[in-house]
């Protein structure tokens, strides 16, 4: 559950503070990485949390497949 909630919340924060203006784009990224608490960890953290989430997703369906084969 944590692997789903944290990326969604961090994505919402990134979306909230994002401005699609070319002139302010660098300032916006600089603000997110330096001024927001743990902003420098937040962006790579999303990619790092995606791997265990995806592996858990794959493991769940493999386990589901194995259990269905055993029940037959």
């Amino acid at each position: 559950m944590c692997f789903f909630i944290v990326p969604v919340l961090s994505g919402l924060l990134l979306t909230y503070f994002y401005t699609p203006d070319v002139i302010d784009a660098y300032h916006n990224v600089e603000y997110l990485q330096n001024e927001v608490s743990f902003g420098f960890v937040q962006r790579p953290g999303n990619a790092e949390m995606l791997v265990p989430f995806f592996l858990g997703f794959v493991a769940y369906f493999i386990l589901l497949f194995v259990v269905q084969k055993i029940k037959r």
Side-chain angles (χ1 to χ4, degrees), residues 59-72:
Y60 172 75
F61 280 104
I62 290 174
L63 185 63
L64 188 65
F65 178 75
V66 169
V67 168
Q68 286 180 354
K69 286 289 185 179
I70 291 173
K71 284 186 178 180
R72 288 184 188 179

Side-chain angles (χ1 to χ4, degrees), residues 41-63:
V41 177
Q42 185 178 19
R43 297 206 45 126
N46 287 340
E48 291 170 0
M49 285 183 280
L50 183 63
V51 172
F53 178 75
F54 180 72
L55 290 176
F57 185 75
V58 170
Y60 172 75
F61 280 104
I62 290 174
L63 185 63

Side-chain angles (χ1 to χ4, degrees), residues 7-22:
V8 168
L9 289 178
S10 67
L12 286 172
L13 283 174
L14 291 172
T15 303
Y16 179 74
F17 288 111
Y18 178 75
T19 44
D21 187 17
V22 175

